[in-house]
Amino acid sequence: MAGDTEDPTAGTDNAPKVKRPRKKKKPKETKTRTVHANTLRERTKGGEDPNRHHANNRIKTTKYTLLSFLPKNLFEQFHRFANVYFVFIALLNFVPVVNAFQPELALAPVVFILSVTAIKDLWEDYRRHRSDTEINHMDCLVYSRAEKRYVEKYWKEVRVGDFIRLRCNEILPADVLLLSSSDPDRLCHIETATLDGETNLKQRQVVRSFFDLDCDFDPLKYDSVIECEKPNNDLNRFRGYILHRSGSRDALYKDNLLLRGCTVRNTEEAVGIVIYAGHETKAMLNNNGPRYKRSKLERQMNVHVFWCVVILLVMCLFAAVGHWVWMFQYGDERPVFDVLGPEGTDLSPVMSAVYLFLTMIIVFQVLIPISLFVSIEIVKICQVFFIHQDLDLYDEETDSHLQCRALNITEDLGQMQYIFSDKTGTLTENKMVFRRCTVAGVEYSHDANARRLAMYQEMDSEEEDCPSRGGTLPRRDSVTSHQSARVVLRSHSTKSHRRTGSRAEAKRASILSKHTAFSSPMEKDVTPDPQLLDKVNECSSQMDFMRFHSQHVSQLPSDLADVLDFFIALTVCNTVVVSSPNQPRHKVRVRFELKSPVKTIEDFIKRFTPSRLTSGSNSSSSSSLATSRSSNRGCSSLLSSPSAESTLTKLREERAAAAPPCWDERPRGPEDGELRYEAESPDEAALVYAARAYKCSLVGRLPDQVAVELPHLGKLSFELLHTLCFDSTRKRMSVVVRHPLTDEITVYTKGADSAIMDLIKPPDTGNSKGRRQKKIVSRTQNYLNLYAADGLRTLCIAKKVLSKEQYACWLRRHLEAETAIQGREELLFDSALRLETNLQLLGATGIEDRLQDGVPETIASLRRAGLQIWVLTGDKQETAVNIAYACKLLDPEEEILTLNADSQEACASLLDESLHYIRAKFLCASSDQAAKAFPGNSAPFEMYPSSSSSSASSSHSSSPPHGAPFLVHRLGLVIDGRTLAYALDRSLEDKFLMVARSCRSVLCCRSTPLQKSTVVKLVRNKLKVMTLAIGDGANDVSMIQVADVGVGISGQEGMQAVMASDFALPRFRYLEKLLLVHGHWCYSRLANMILYFFYKNAMFVALIFWFQFYCGFSGSAMIDQWYLIFFNLMFSAFPQLITGTLDKDVSAETLQRLPQLYVNGQNSEEYKPYMFWMNMIDAFYQSLVCFFIPYFAYADSDLGVETKTWTWMNWFSIFFSLSLFFFVSLCYNASCPSCFSPPSPYWSMQRLLGEPLFYLLCVLTPVAALLPRYFYRACRGTLFPSRVHVGRQLDKLPAETRRNLLGLGGGAEPQFLPLTKPSPGGRGQTREGANLYAADPTEKDTLPHAKGAAGLRPPAEPRPPPAKDCERPDEAPEASELSASGWLTSTPRASGVRLALPPDGDPHRVTYRGDSGAEPSPGAVL
Amino acid sequence: MMASSYNAKDEDGHITVTGPGGGAVLRSKKPENTAFKQQRLPAWQPILTAGTVLPAFFIIGLLFIPIGIGLFVTSNNIKEFEIDYTGADTSSPCFNCSQNFSWNSTSPCTCTVPFYLEQPYESNVYVYYGLSNFYQNHRRYVKSRDDSQLNGNLKSLREPSKECEPYAYHNNKPIAPCGAIANSMFNDTLELFYNDPNGTSVKILLGTTGIAWWTDKHVKFGNPGGVDSNLSAVFQGAGGCWSLALSNAYKRDSTRSSSSDRLSVSGTTKPLNWRRPVYELDSDQSNNGFVNEDFIVWMRTAALPTFRKLYRIIGKSSQMVPTLPRGNYTLEVVYNYPVRSFEGRKRMILSTISWMGGKNPFLGIAYITVGSVCFFLGVVLLVIHHKCGNRNNGAEISN
């Protein structure tokens, strides 16, 4: 297709109008979608629109329309069983025979609840509608055939088959097939941040048949038909083909498709045809609303709601029978008070009993709390709000805070038992730092680099000391302000350029360049190893020399060649995109020649003619680089001078002038730091940066070539023939390039060592080269093990040289695979496997992935909270183990079981052995339990010990005594992916779990995403525990979805995990507060609230029930119907809501310091079945008291029916409800004597309030009713105090005492509680102390004197007992004696101030034992 | 972009997601550091342990016991006399009356019950009638009234509400106080005679007013046609314009059964069980009709099947003489009210009252009991506290 180079509007003028009968339309129900251009249809007016079946681009996410709102919303609400139930009851009231209340009145609460929900839905829908309209009315350029140009249209007017012109930074309105791009490479860059959160640019290619189009695309000339998949939600797949008029077809890939919601970057203009529009776009199909998970508490609650129904029915039945008996005793003679039915009919006792049954259901309906469901929802929203607002969960560095994506499982956070964590990016920062490498069997330790990294760490800690330094406001607008900010910073800093690694700087940098990932200087600046650097220089100079003398490169000494190849591989074998920093979204274009990748055999033959060696001095370097500035952070002289804005040419001169040996202190790396690398994974970026430190820098990447700058050799252009992308199955990626120096077709492969090492060509030991290879392999393997032992991530680099024949052979099949439509993925995979064989090992790299801040502490405290932590990682075993040690997941003191098996049988026997071992080792602990659990090797053993045996087990040893359902030994289990696959087999999974759950920590290495989710599922289903999965990457998504609670880390690896998660955290360490504090709170709040609801309603109903004995079971209530109906809604709902939202049983600080309190939620201690029944019994008791005390008091009195409304009412609502009740009832009683249906309670309230008897009752009844409950609580509080209880007591203590106490409490792990060690005078307070106060001003509010005291005195100084005196001072010494002995047994290693928790009555008194001075020795304890 | 960011907004509900689109809007999402949002509102956290609850128990115990004693003494000072005149026993003077009496009897049956007061009643004496086993709290019974009619609404007088069924119409005439409650109104007449030691019997003056709540009498209940209308005329339908208006109302209401009959009939009828129509309850106009206090008292239904209702007040006549001196009395009952059919009992009660109402030793006893229990539990807690409190605390923290 020829055309001119003008813009498309001009091109249309002389475009030949080709009319061509369209392909026969496929039947509608085909599996593919056929897209015709709309320009064609416009031409053939009247013809039916072939695209008419496809959705248009108008989106409508609203659920309702104005008309359908009421029916639809009601319909949806009636999906909830409770609503149906209540409506049923309300309707029952309309039946005259059974009605208990005024029918209209009975409807009120239901209507209220329904309308509240409806209004909420309406509001949400309205918001959706507004945002829809906003989106629908966005503008885009659509080609109009009538006007022969692109015209502005609203998004909603875009239809499938339209041509759309996209400009830079525009958002794509629909899924568009890219047909043309202004980019000379026919590329279009898009940013998919809104889809998957990945901020790096993705390249999209113009459809191949339009690739060679020199001119701009002319829609009128387009007459092809596109056949593609039906709309689906797979973002990473798009298959189809385009049928040209000529009959030729071209395959379409996901690389051709621009997705709706993405932003066009770096591309001036692009044109495409709309394939999917509106709701059929992949982005919209991926938008599934918030998931509904039901929390454990809610599940328990539902059981109890069911029980409530049973109780209700029993009560009704009882009443009905009672009524029958009552009726029966009067015989035929009707008493005067037994009113006939309205029609004067005389009901038989049986019939009236049946009617009464229904009536009683209405009367007792309160037992099923109508407002509970609504209240729970409200409370959860409030809880989510508070979690959102927590300052401690806010990460300033990324300006993100916790997101609750699932609204209804907040309380599950308090009940977790197992945590499954990803490692990379979750425990670690996913900031890859190049640490060391080995090339050709020689290790380069990069000591200087290690020192540099150590320095960063040091500075990090210093940075925290003086936060004022980091206090400059983040600036992002201009380069100058950026620099000035840095200059200001530097003037404060004594550490000149090395400071750049500090966190404050990193923070600022990350804000400055929000779009660019991996920009921390720590990752970028790699100090090269001098030895290796020398080698590189030597090698390249030799190469240069040889090239100059046109010698063949193969004469290069093989070790030097390997070094060079190694770095070339590092530079080339990746998918890193190069961009310049001040325009982060503009690609650096260094183009030498326009050429498409090899796509056909002919092309291949044609192009593989004599070598084209391009020299680096090619002047076609793009203008974009010219504007780049030097942002050398290390060099202040450059910064201060205006010449910092040097051009590329200048830089190049400098570089050329620079003499190789001056690499010592200031690496030249930073100078070409203008180039920014954007990689899909941080490892790649780290490697590229590392290579750059050795002057092998990647300067440009195009689909068909990679520009590399090498020392001495200048810029080399590698022709990129193929990129075989990384996938998790192969665990490697390869590039096929044409080496510009040797002109060989070379395959560079980079991948996990396990993947690469197996593919290394078995060295031919016959010749020296083979022997050398063998040596290299074995040495490299050694170093790899060493690296792994250091906790480094290892990657192997290998290469392979292909002969032209081999390549041609492979290419043929590869091309077949590429063009296949069916099973293309599998074919490509096979093709890659064919290529990646017989590799030659070049070397290996070790990359460090630094642990995130606070990970060891978090893990330790989570573990103390009784959580079992499993780490599931894809890393290799050694690396994983080392990271596990580093983050204190594994303890050097504990034994580690390592399971590595090659076969199912081996795995089985290993598991058996482990079981044996565990049994043998820990049998002594409790033989009974063990014998039960492990009756024999072959015999099927009981998997889940009964509760009796588990309680026996929990009584022993150091395992947490809170009754975790099984023994947890001090054992670590390490299992690799292959073994895991065997162990997860159905036959072995029980054994595996048996072993795993008796280990304190479990580490699964080399596990695939699928395995991760299988493990989670297995543990969740088999052990019946609450699981939490936390991860950050796409490989964790399945695990996150399977777990009860999924947590995503919004880290570096995109948003996929976050999208799938229920909660998204900025950092791992926030998990501690989320679980220990918010989880605990949410759980205890909600549990208490639910129990209270049950209790309240049971009590209320029981009152009415007792009354039935005195009204002939006639179903009348002594409470006026208004109170009865609005009881739940108005009079007693608010206290619960407040409690559910704001109640704190233990302060946040204590919860974090005493993670043991978390056990409370794990064991569901706040909400156990027996508690439900206890509450019910209590409610019945209280209702008895409340009924009969007034009953006897008013017995025989002449007061009216409403009298008793009262006495009980007062004590289950707090002041607000009380006053509301008073107010309402006073008004109600005073208003309109005859409006309310009989019996009107006119003025009875006022009358009642005038009587002293009433007040006396008000006092007496609650006291009598609550007596047992308080007594029970108090006894329990004293005799068997729960942990929470103790925590609450701790809260009461003065802050300082508490700190000491908590320090002692955590004596087993003193390192996590630095407060144990009292700071000896001097500065008076530790920093933690200060933080403590800053963090918890509650203490300031509640205990001002304590604060004052603590502020004045050094923590360790003994304090006299505060003013508040105890009841019996003489008892005190004895008491502390007792407690001291308690300490001795339990915390023998505890050091620091020895103090006993004072007796209850006197929470402020502290007794110090041992040396109370500044330096208490552990010995003094005894 | 909008589409997807929208959803995030929708889901979390509280934060507004600032799309990181081209402009790079940098609005810090840092939460505010306020006491409320960080959940640091000042709070009082009571902890329930033996130690903390102890004082409360003792205080309650020490408070309640004296109160209870006070109440008990007060209650004991109240004099109360009760006499059952149901006539269930053959020996009872009212046996005959109770035997052959039913709602339909026309001739009143009178019986006299003598009794002896052992103590003089000093202040105002309240005369109650008490009924047992009478379920005035029956669900359908309680509802069977028309408050609107009782308030004097003319329309309701003519058209009693449906709640009154089946006591709304009789012979196609609306029943004047309609409903079962009114129908079953207590209609015994009790008269007291003091038998002087010298043989003469003196009739004791029983005050008929002041027995109903003021609000009931003046607000809730009212006669139709205003305070000074001619009651009999109003209830018989001989009134002026309003009956015309009512007949119009009938026309509108012609769908109701046998309404054609009603058209011709005007006026109301008395409840079935009543002997006299409502406008003849008392000769005193201000105590007649719906505002008759006996009627009002009856209409305020009792909560329990055994109840007493104020019947009369014997006003204190002079400072010197006790209201009811010690001695023999005769209770003269016009036995109209049948209770035998449902095993009911009828009583007459004479009682004085104190500040806390009638005689009720229960409250005092309850206070004393609860107070003692509190005190006892306090002691138990004290023991627990000193035996166990410390040890547990120490052990627990160390875990």
Side-chain angles (χ1 to χ4, degrees), chain A residues 128 389 1116 1193 1196 1256 1278, chain B residues 6 38-39 50 137 308 360 367:
Chain A
R128 275 193 288 264
Q389 291 301 325
S1116 68
D1196 231 12
L1256 286 173
T1278 312
Chain B
Y6 168 73
Q38 300 304 316
Q39 307 193 55
N137 54 16
R308 58 167 75 164
N360 190 351
Y367 262 89

Side-chain angles (χ1 to χ4, degrees), chain B residues 90-107:
Chain B
T90 45
S91 59
S92 167
C94 293
F95 180 69
N96 283 336
C97 283
S98 71
Q99 279 305 312
N100 46 29
F101 193 79
S102 75
W103 287 106
N104 303 326
S105 343
T106 45
S107 60

Side-chain angles (χ1 to χ4, degrees), chain A residues 99 127-128 131 134-135 171 194 261 284 287-288 290 326 330 333 335-342 359 381 385-386 388-391 394 396 399 401 404-405 407 476 511 1078 1085 1107 1110-1112 1114-1116 1144-1145 1156 1189 1191-1193 1196-1201 1233-1234 1238-1240 1242-1244 1247 1252-1253 1256-1257 1259-1260 1263-1264 1267 1270-1271 1273-1275 1277-1279 1283 1285-1286 1288-1289 1292 1337-1338 1341-1342 1368 1371 1375 1383 1386 1397 1399-1400, chain B residues 1-4 6-7 9-12 14-15 20 24 26-33 36-40 42-43 45-51 53 57 60 64 71 103 133-135 137-143 145 147-148 151 163 165-167 180 184 213 215-216 219-220 273 300-309 341-342 347 355-356 360 362-363 366-367 370 373-374 377 380-382 384-386 388-390 392-393 396-399:
Chain A
N99 77 338
R127 281 204 328 187
R128 275 193 288 264
S131 110
E134 200 181 308
I135 292 167
I171 298 166
T194 47
M284 294 300 283
N287 258 351
N288 26 22
W326 184 80
Y330 292 113
E333 208 175 342
V336 66
F337 44 78
D338 187 10
V339 184
L340 302 169
T359 307
I381 286 174
F385 170 75
F386 279 118
H388 269 291
Q389 291 301 325
D390 194 331
L391 209 53
Y394 168 78
E396 218 154 333
D399 188 36
H401 55 83
C404 295
R405 296 171 50 82
L407 294 183
R476 64 200 150 78
I511 292 170
H1078 288 293
R1085 285 167 182 174
F1107 186 67
Y1110 294 93
C1111 68
S1114 62
S1116 68
K1144 275 198 283 192
D1145 51 352
Q1156 292 92 331
I1189 288 183
Y1191 168 72
F1192 287 117
D1196 231 12
S1197 73
D1198 59 343
L1199 270 173
V1201 170
S1234 58
S1240 164
Y1242 180 68
W1243 215 248
S1244 40
R1247 183 88 182 179
L1253 187 65
L1256 286 173
L1257 280 173
V1259 176
L1260 176 71
V1263 170
L1267 205 60
Y1270 273 81
F1271 180 70
R1273 291 253 174 102
C1275 284
T1278 312
L1279 291 175
R1283 282 146 190 282
H1285 206 90
V1286 177
R1288 299 184 59 183
Q1289 285 185 326
K1292 283 269 172 174
T1338 321
D1341 299 333
T1342 51
R1368 297 197 184 169
E1371 297 257 350
W1383 291 112
S1386 53
L1397 191 73
D1400 296 318
Chain B
M1 179 204 90
M2 303 290 238
S4 52
Y6 168 73
N7 237 28
K9 212 190 294 179
D10 196 15
E11 279 163 29
D12 51 46
H14 292 287
I15 47 152
L26 246 172
R27 205 180 71 198
S28 175
K29 286 186 250 169
K30 187 170 182 167
E32 286 170 59
N33 190 2
F36 174 68
K37 287 191 172 172
Q38 300 304 316
Q39 307 193 55
R40 290 188 314 245
Q45 294 189 317
I47 297 178
L48 294 180
T49 60
V53 176
F57 271 76
I60 290 174
F64 271 30
L71 287 174
W103 287 106
N133 231 355
F134 189 98
Y135 286 84
N137 54 16
H138 191 282
R139 179 170 57 90
R140 288 197 297 274
Y141 181 84
V142 161
K143 286 197 294 183
R145 61 194 283 165
D147 278 328
S148 170
N151 196 28
E163 303 282 356
E165 300 279 2
Y167 300 100
S184 61
W213 297 4
T215 48
D216 277 4
V219 187
K220 193 173 176 183
N273 291 346
R300 197 161 266 283
T301 52
L304 299 169
T306 298
F307 59 92
R308 58 167 75 164
K309 282 181 185 289
S341 64
F342 53 88
R347 291 162 298 153
W355 57 270
M356 56 162 283
N360 190 351
F362 170 78
L363 199 60
Y367 262 89
V370 172
V373 169
C374 271
L377 291 182
V380 172
L381 282 180
L382 195 69
I384 291 172
H385 176 50
H386 280 287
C388 319
N390 304 321
N392 275 297
N393 281 326
E396 198 55 42
I397 298 277
S398 62
N399 282 336

Side-chain angles (χ1 to χ4, degrees), chain B residues 315-368:
Chain B
K316 189 173 170 65
S317 49
S318 74
Q319 289 294 332
M320 308 308 289
V321 201
T323 321
L324 291 181
R326 205 158 76 104
N328 282 313
Y329 289 84
T330 311
L331 170 69
E332 216 174 279
V333 184
V334 183
Y335 202 107
N336 289 330
Y337 204 71
V339 292
R340 292 296 304 279
S341 64
F342 53 88
E343 304 286 313
R345 290 285 180 158
K346 298 197 284 192
R347 291 162 298 153
M348 191 279 300
I349 300 124
L350 295 172
S351 172
T352 60
I353 62 165
S354 71
W355 57 270
M356 56 162 283
K359 190 180 179 89
N360 190 351
F362 170 78
L363 199 60
I365 295 170
Y367 262 89
I368 293 170

Side-chain angles (χ1 to χ4, degrees), chain A residues 328-447:
Chain A
F328 190 75
Q329 69 178 340
Y330 292 113
D332 295 333
E333 208 175 342
R334 268 185 105 77
V336 66
F337 44 78
D338 187 10
V339 184
L340 302 169
E343 287 78 37
T345 47
D346 193 357
L347 292 167
S348 72
V350 177
M351 270 319 282
S352 58
V354 170
Y355 286 138
L356 188 92
F357 182 78
L358 295 172
T359 307
M360 292 314 277
I361 289 182
I362 302 174
V363 174
F364 291 160
Q365 64 172 325
V366 194
L367 190 61
I368 316 293
I370 184 170
S371 53
L372 177 60
F373 302 99
V374 181
S375 304
I376 286 177
E377 248 166 61
I378 295 172
V379 163
K380 279 182 178 172
I381 286 174
C382 293
Q383 287 177 343
V384 164
F385 170 75
F386 279 118
I387 295 176
H388 269 291
Q389 291 301 325
D390 194 331
L391 209 53
D392 292 345
L393 300 181
Y394 168 78
D395 188 40
E396 218 154 333
E397 226 168 285
T398 51
D399 188 36
S400 58
H401 55 83
L402 180 132
Q403 285 179 45
C404 295
R405 296 171 50 82
L407 294 183
N408 38 21
I409 52 169
T410 46
E411 73 273 18
D412 266 355
L413 289 175
Q415 299 197 275
M416 286 302 134
Q417 284 157 302
Y418 275 72
I419 292 182
F420 296 90
S421 173
D422 175 41
K423 188 179 75 65
T424 314
T426 307
L427 300 180
T428 62
E429 288 191 53
N430 205 10
K431 283 190 178 161
M432 302 299 168
V433 183
F434 181 82
R435 280 299 291 268
R436 51 212 316 191
C437 65
T438 163
V439 183
V442 184
E443 214 267 323
Y444 301 95
S445 58
H446 290 74
D447 293 329

Side-chain angles (χ1 to χ4, degrees), chain A residues 1066-1320:
Chain A
R1067 308 204 143 249
F1068 181 77
R1069 77 181 127 100
Y1070 296 147
L1071 190 65
E1072 181 184 352
K1073 187 165 189 196
L1074 182 67
L1075 291 186
L1076 295 187
V1077 178
H1078 288 293
H1080 181 97
W1081 280 349
C1082 289
Y1083 169 70
S1084 73
R1085 285 167 182 174
L1086 220 67
N1088 283 324
M1089 191 184 91
I1090 292 170
L1091 277 181
Y1092 196 76
F1093 256 98
F1094 281 128
Y1095 151 76
K1096 173 189 85 174
N1097 293 319
M1099 151 107 199
F1100 190 88
V1101 164
L1103 269 180
I1104 304 172
F1105 183 69
W1106 303 132
F1107 186 67
Q1108 299 308 309
F1109 287 91
Y1110 294 93
C1111 68
F1113 296 101
S1114 62
S1116 68
M1118 71 292 195
I1119 301 152
D1120 186 81
Q1121 52 181 351
W1122 280 72
Y1123 303 141
L1124 205 59
I1125 284 170
F1126 290 110
F1127 169 72
N1128 260 334
L1129 278 186
M1130 283 165 71
F1131 300 131
S1132 62
F1134 295 101
Q1136 276 87 46
L1137 288 184
I1138 301 296
T1139 309
T1141 321
L1142 291 175
D1143 186 38
K1144 275 198 283 192
D1145 51 352
V1146 187
S1147 77
E1149 188 211 343
T1150 311
L1151 281 173
Q1152 275 181 295
R1153 299 257 152 191
L1154 273 184
Q1156 292 92 331
L1157 298 182
Y1158 189 72
V1159 174
N1160 190 40
Q1162 285 178 320
N1163 297 350
S1164 305
E1165 275 172 23
E1166 306 262 332
Y1167 192 89
K1168 288 191 164 171
Y1170 87 86
M1171 290 175 109
F1172 169 74
W1173 296 110
M1174 282 294 283
N1175 263 287
M1176 284 299 190
I1177 291 165
D1178 194 29
F1180 271 77
Y1181 159 76
Q1182 292 191 6
S1183 65
L1184 269 179
V1185 169
C1186 292
F1187 182 73
F1188 284 101
I1189 288 183
Y1191 168 72
F1192 287 117
Y1194 283 116
D1196 231 12
S1197 73
D1198 59 343
L1199 270 173
V1201 170
E1202 294 78 23
T1203 330
K1204 264 164 240 70
T1205 314
W1206 259 106
T1207 36
W1208 44 267
M1209 192 59 126
N1210 46 10
W1211 45 282
F1212 41 93
S1213 30
I1214 54 170
F1215 180 74
F1216 177 71
S1217 294
L1218 257 184
S1219 49
L1220 182 76
F1221 175 76
F1222 271 101
F1223 182 73
V1224 168
S1225 46
L1226 284 178
C1227 291
Y1228 168 51
N1229 277 200
S1231 62
C1232 190
S1234 58
C1235 324
F1236 303 111
S1237 78
S1240 164
Y1242 180 68
W1243 215 248
S1244 40
M1245 182 61 110
Q1246 285 82 343
R1247 183 88 182 179
L1248 197 61
L1249 291 182
E1251 285 197 27
L1253 187 65
F1254 165 71
Y1255 296 104
L1256 286 173
L1257 280 173
C1258 280
V1259 176
L1260 176 71
T1261 318
V1263 170
L1266 291 178
L1267 205 60
R1269 180 171 270 230
Y1270 273 81
F1271 180 70
Y1272 169 74
R1273 291 253 174 102
C1275 284
R1276 229 192 92 176
T1278 312
L1279 291 175
F1280 322 101
S1282 67
R1283 282 146 190 282
V1284 175
H1285 206 90
V1286 177
R1288 299 184 59 183
Q1289 285 185 326
L1290 279 174
D1291 265 357
K1292 283 269 172 174
L1293 298 177
E1296 173 211 319
T1297 321
R1298 177 171 35 169
R1299 244 182 307 138
N1300 288 324
L1301 253 179
L1302 290 173
L1304 270 185
E1309 289 108 331
Q1311 65 270 35
F1312 307 129
L1313 294 157
L1315 301 177
T1316 357
K1317 290 152 202 133
S1319 72

